[in-house]
Amino acid sequence: MNQYLAITSRGLENLLAEELNELGAQSVQVVHAGVRFKANQETAYRCCLWTRISSRIIQVLSEFNVRDDMDLYLGAAAINWTNYFSNSTRIVVDFNGTNREIRNSQYGAMKVKDAIVDSFTKADLRRPNIDRDQPDLRIHMRLSGEKGVLGLDMAGSGLHQRGYRTEAGRAPLRETHAAALVIKSGWTPEQPLLDPMCGSGTLLIEAAMMAADIAPGLKRKRWGFESIKDFDKEAWLEIHAEATVKARRGVAKVETKFFGFELEHRVLAIARDNAGRAGVKSLINFQQGDATELKAPEGFEAGTVICNPPYGERLGTTPELISLYTELGNRLKLAFAGSTAALYSGSNELLSCIRMRADKQFKLANGALDCVLKTYLITAGGVKKEEGEAEGHIEQKDVAPDFANRLKKNIAKLGKWAKKEGIECYRIYDADLPNYNAAIDRYQDYLIIQEYAAPKTVPEETARRRIMDILRATIQVTGVDNSKVILKVRERQKGKSQYQKLSSAERHMNVSEYGVQLKVNLYDYLDTGLFLDHRITRRKLGEMAAGKDFLNLFAYTGSASVHAAVGGAKSTTTVDMSNTYLTWAQENMELNNQVGEQHEFIQADCLQWLQEVDDTFDLIFIDPPTFSNSKRMKQSFDVQRDHMMLLENLKRMLRPEGQIVFSNNKRHFKMDFEALDKLGLEASNISDKTLPMDFARNKQIHNCWVIKHKEA
């Protein structure tokens, strides 16, 4: 008997051990991400052909300590490679793992390769060819700490490559992993099986192959063990022929009903083609359908619903996924009472949206992703059908009731106020409750939820669950379509990192603010192009600007310049370091028919520009960052430390009767009145007068002053 190592995913070791025992393996022992066993050649061939779970089966030739590259070379060189394959065999070395001395897998593979070819040259034989693309035989080296295992890959390529899948949908499951999920789901071939989001059909195809007793490796064209010198061709042909007969007879005997639904017609066509190549197309009823409108098809009774719904992490997908999981849970409870559901996801929080208590759960990694398979016994609880209502509806319980109640109250109060004010963008929640640390802004019929980074004292899992509750409750309370809910995470900002680009969707919309039209972008940046807390300040600037030359510094997207221009400013000068935002500012002006030479846009470092320009203005608005150390600026800036430096330069540019509106968002900012007096300036604090109602809870971040020359 030879020693073998069967490799699998973390969490599937015991399942693989059971499978190998059933296939006749001896001395089966579970190890990390694999199973060790002994077998004769015939059993080893059978294991390769019939394993549904293992990704590779390695014939172990040697195990040795590897402290450094010399140990690695000597350990590999100690094997008499000429006993196992000829020099006409094309080979490649796969190396997995590292340790303190062997830090690069390519280097490790090279050392093993050197030992192998040296073994042939020392025997006065031509060295075998290395072929990375189409090798006859793969040499497998596994390094864990100082322990090395070296052997021959019996299959040659991954055992998940069944031969039936040439195309796949998005984020497809490996065939071996799909088979394991089907087994762990508790499904048996006597039960109907349904996948409401079947993608390229892998889960259903693997299950149908089990029901039809089709060996998963039957379609493979080549095997690594065919290139090993002791290959027993006669035994292999007998094993393969036996499996071929079983498959042919098995399909005809299957009475199990399989159902697959997929929304995308193109992906559904791929699933049908895959099933055809696997030999189970006649067993699976594929239909185009939406999981959120799922119904039990005719012939599906007390079966299993299995699904690998999406659990993407891209910006903006989470609200849609919450809605998807929530509605899937509703459909399961409404149409599949008495059946079992098995759902596999990388997000426990999304699975919680199903609103069912899991009967069992299994942690099963999908590659590098930590995922979980949860099974549910579906009962009719929570389903309430009205008389004459064919579909019924699901009785919804409030999610995060404290948060939901606060949000309802805020919306009732602020909605009326916003309508009266003539604004379409305003804040409806601002971290009102400590456990729900987020801000929610309404932009017409869109909502932006900005999650503030949780303190380190709050466990990551708790923080994720809370933001999920915020999302679900917000959608439930507002009734806003989930596709119009955008989630962003706001961390502590350094410099101008709040302006960093998050995506390139370039989705813009125009909003109205006190009769002014402004362009916003809800998706591509952390901020939208419009600071809502400056709304009243902008309106005031419009009222002050009539007939005046207006300067806007650190202008961002120029919304203050627009208000000033619409208010009748004689001229506007808009200065910002970003060309992107200056272009945006020009577009905002054009939206309001404010075009002409009287409106100037200057790309410059505002701090440097202030020191170099001699122009004067009647009205100056400056809203500097709290802190900036941008590489494009020649010096760092701190508004508390440096505000007098700003005002010293601004005084030179301010005409005798002119005014400066100075704003910033630093908490607990203190104006240096003594230094201001020495400059010959005086300031009036208008923070309370310019703080909008929807930001009333956050007074400390809004500072606004009107500054002018002292009267003689």
Side-chain angles (χ1 to χ4, degrees):
M1 284 193 177
N2 291 321
Q3 181 77 241
Y4 295 92
L5 169 65
I7 298 170
T8 190
S9 300
R10 289 180 290 122
L12 296 179
E13 298 93 341
N14 290 323
L15 197 64
L16 176 57
E18 292 174 16
E19 181 186 62
L20 292 170
N21 269 316
E22 291 175 5
L23 292 170
Q26 303 292 314
S27 304
V28 175
Q29 178 189 359
V30 169
V31 295
H32 176 69
V35 175
R36 301 289 293 266
F37 68 98
K38 292 181 179 180
N40 57 29
Q41 274 188 309
E42 185 178 335
T43 301
Y45 297 160
R46 185 170 284 107
C47 288
C48 287
L49 182 64
W50 281 95
T51 180
R52 300 186 188 278
I53 303 166
S54 179
S55 57
R56 293 187 184 276
I57 293 181
I58 309 301
Q59 180 183 339
V60 178
L61 303 183
S62 180
E63 298 180 64
F64 49 92
N65 290 329
V66 181
R67 289 178 294 273
D68 53 30
D69 56 357
M70 183 56 71
D71 283 346
L72 178 61
Y73 177 86
L74 293 174
I79 298 171
N80 190 347
W81 294 99
T82 60
N83 287 345
Y84 295 100
F85 56 89
S86 70
N87 59 2
S88 63
T89 304
R90 296 169 300 173
I91 65 168
V92 70
V93 178
D94 293 331
F95 193 100
N96 291 295
T98 57
N99 64 16
R100 289 184 179 180
E101 296 297 323
I102 314 271
R103 299 183 181 183
N104 184 286
S105 59
Q106 288 183 333
Y107 177 71
M110 183 188 71
K111 298 303 290 184
V112 173
K113 181 265 296 179
D114 289 347
I116 293 170
V117 298
D118 288 351
S119 174
F120 279 83
T121 54
K122 286 176 183 177
D124 293 326
L125 295 170
R126 182 177 56 81
R127 56 187 286 168
N129 289 326
I130 308 300
D131 190 333
R132 291 181 174 83
D133 297 323
Q134 291 185 313
D136 299 314
L137 185 63
R138 304 186 85 91
I139 316 300
H140 184 88
M141 177 74 200
R142 198 182 204 197
L143 181 62
S144 179
E146 294 187 352
K147 299 294 182 183
V149 177
L150 184 55
L152 307 174
D153 189 329
M154 296 289 283
S157 59
L159 285 165
H160 69 281
Q161 297 175 12
R162 316 285 209 218
Y164 66 75
R165 195 168 77 179
T166 59
E167 286 188 87
R170 298 190 189 98
L173 285 171
R174 281 195 168 190
E175 294 86 335
T176 46
H177 207 68
L181 294 176
V182 170
I183 296 169
K184 296 293 278 186
S185 74
W187 170 81
T188 61
E190 295 77 36
Q191 301 173 303
L193 185 69
L194 183 150
D195 186 344
M197 287 177 270
C198 68
S200 54
T202 310
L203 285 165
L204 292 172
I205 292 170
E206 289 295 321
M209 289 173 70
M210 292 178 200
D213 206 16
I214 298 175
L218 197 59
K219 298 286 184 181
R220 289 180 69 98
K221 302 299 183 185
R222 279 197 52 79
W223 295 84
F225 54 68
E226 293 176 305
S227 296
I228 301 175
K229 281 187 173 180
D230 66 355
F231 171 53
D232 188 337
K233 185 175 182 179
E234 186 176 334
W236 167 243
L237 289 176
E238 185 177 339
I239 291 167
H240 195 274
E242 178 189 19
T244 302
V245 172
K246 277 188 175 183
R248 189 168 57 246
R249 292 175 178 172
V251 171
K253 292 179 181 179
V254 172
E255 296 181 357
T256 309
K257 295 184 177 180
F258 298 90
F259 303 91
F261 295 91
E262 170 58 40
L263 190 58
E264 292 188 43
H265 186 269
R266 180 190 65 83
V267 178
L268 195 63
I270 292 171
R272 290 194 178 105
D273 290 344
N274 288 344
R277 283 185 286 270
V280 294
K281 187 175 182 179
S282 62
L283 304 181
I284 306 174
N285 181 356
F286 286 112
Q287 300 177 38
Q288 190 167 10
D290 188 341
T292 63
E293 299 174 0
L294 185 65
K295 301 175 185 177
E298 185 177 345
F300 187 95
E301 294 178 6
T304 298
V305 178
I306 191 167
C307 188
N308 172 219
Y311 43 91
E313 298 176 352
R314 296 187 309 278
L315 180 74
T317 61
T318 303
E320 295 179 34
L321 291 176
I322 287 174
S323 179
L324 173 64
Y325 277 70
T326 301
E327 193 53 39
L328 177 60
N330 290 346
R331 304 311 300 177
L332 291 174
K333 286 176 279 190
L334 191 63
F336 293 88
S339 293
T340 300
L343 306 179
Y344 182 63
S345 176
S347 171
N348 250 319
E349 293 76 21
L350 284 171
L351 283 174
S352 70
C353 299
I354 297 292
R355 306 305 292 273
M356 292 191 291
R357 186 182 296 276
D359 178 51
K360 295 177 182 177
Q361 64 178 29
F362 309 95
K363 291 182 178 180
L364 302 174
N366 185 11
L369 290 174
D370 290 326
C371 297
V372 63
L373 174 71
K374 291 190 176 185
T375 62
Y376 307 84
L377 300 175
I378 306 172
T379 64
V383 180
K384 183 179 179 181
K385 289 190 178 181
E386 299 292 342
E387 187 176 349
E389 186 178 22
E391 291 301 322
H393 70 272
I394 302 299
E395 200 174 307
Q396 294 280 4
K397 294 182 180 179
D398 283 344
V399 180
D402 291 348
F403 167 78
N405 288 334
R406 176 60 67 92
L407 188 59
K408 288 175 187 175
K409 291 178 182 177
N410 288 359
I411 290 172
K413 178 182 178 182
L414 293 168
K416 294 177 183 177
W417 163 79
K419 187 175 182 180
K420 183 181 177 182
E421 288 283 298
I423 56 176
E424 295 180 326
C425 313
Y426 55 98
R427 181 154 293 184
I428 59 175
Y429 178 86
D430 196 4
D432 299 28
L433 305 176
N435 284 346
Y436 300 100
N437 194 22
I440 305 175
D441 296 330
R442 181 184 286 278
Y443 283 76
Q444 293 177 352
D445 55 347
Y446 285 78
L447 293 178
I448 294 180
I449 300 177
Q450 300 179 68
E451 176 193 7
Y452 295 115
K456 293 180 179 179
T457 53
V458 176
E460 185 179 347
E461 185 177 339
T462 301
R464 286 202 309 266
R465 187 179 68 249
R466 286 174 179 171
I467 191 60
M468 198 68 68
D469 286 347
I470 289 173
L471 281 161
R472 290 166 62 193
T474 300
I475 292 170
Q476 188 173 309
V477 167
T478 63
V480 170
D481 188 282
N482 60 76
S483 65
K484 294 185 175 182
V485 180
I486 301 118
L487 173 66
K488 300 179 181 181
V489 179
R490 185 175 287 279
E491 313 251 6
R492 285 184 178 274
Q493 301 303 324
K494 293 182 179 179
K496 290 199 173 183
S497 61
Q498 69 265 35
Y499 306 141
Q500 66 188 347
K501 197 156 191 178
L502 302 176
S503 72
S504 54
E506 296 296 339
R507 287 172 284 190
H508 300 103
M509 61 187 287
N510 298 333
V511 297
S512 178
E513 177 183 271
Y514 299 128
V516 166
Q517 294 295 306
L518 298 168
K519 185 180 85 168
V520 295
N521 183 328
L522 306 187
Y523 291 90
D524 294 343
Y525 301 86
L526 188 56
D527 284 311
T528 64
L530 186 64
F531 294 136
L532 300 185
D533 58 314
H534 290 177
R535 186 188 310 115
I536 295 177
T537 306
R538 288 190 289 270
R539 182 176 66 178
K540 183 175 182 62
L541 288 167
E543 294 167 350
M544 298 169 67
K548 296 179 180 177
D549 292 315
F550 173 74
L551 171 64
N552 185 4
L553 291 164
F554 299 100
Y556 190 31
T557 59
S559 52
S561 299
V562 176
H563 274 273
V566 171
K570 181 180 177 183
S571 71
T572 65
T573 302
T574 303
V575 186
D576 196 272
M577 193 160 54
S578 166
N579 230 349
T580 299
Y581 292 125
L582 281 176
T583 300
W584 195 331
Q586 287 177 278
E587 291 170 353
N588 275 334
M589 291 287 248
E590 289 168 5
L591 264 180
N592 295 273
N593 299 315
Q594 299 298 324
V595 293
E597 294 182 358
Q598 72 273 28
H599 301 301
E600 187 176 7
F601 301 88
I602 299 172
Q603 182 188 8
D605 172 352
C606 289
L607 298 179
Q608 185 179 353
W609 187 83
L610 274 174
Q611 296 171 20
E612 297 173 352
V613 173
D614 293 326
D615 295 342
T616 59
F617 300 88
D618 301 299
L619 179 62
I620 299 173
F621 176 57
I622 184 166
D623 177 41
T626 299
F627 177 80
S628 180
N629 59 354
S630 169
K631 292 179 181 178
R632 295 175 64 187
M633 295 176 70
K634 289 191 173 182
Q635 61 200 72
S636 69
F637 175 81
D638 180 288
V639 71
Q640 183 63 70
R641 181 192 68 200
D642 299 322
H643 70 282
M644 292 312 300
M645 175 269 290
L646 285 177
L647 292 172
E648 184 176 355
N649 282 290
L650 291 176
K651 179 192 174 184
R652 172 175 49 82
M653 303 172 69
L654 186 65
R655 291 172 184 164
E657 302 300 320
Q659 292 178 299
I660 301 167
V661 177
F662 172 71
S663 174
N664 70 77
N665 290 90
K666 180 176 174 59
R667 291 180 181 275
H668 308 294
F669 172 81
K670 293 182 179 179
M671 178 68 73
D672 189 342
F673 287 104
E674 184 177 343
L676 196 68
D677 184 64
K678 290 179 180 177
L679 274 179
L681 297 173
E682 58 184 11
S684 302
N685 190 339
I686 60 168
S687 301
D688 289 343
K689 296 176 183 177
T690 53
L691 181 69
M693 178 177 167
D694 48 334
F695 285 85
R697 293 192 71 259
N698 212 353
K699 294 181 180 180
Q700 291 294 339
I701 67 161
H702 179 79
N703 301 288
C704 195
W705 309 76
V706 174
I707 300 170
K708 55 186 180 180
H709 295 287
K710 285 177 65 176
E711 294 183 10

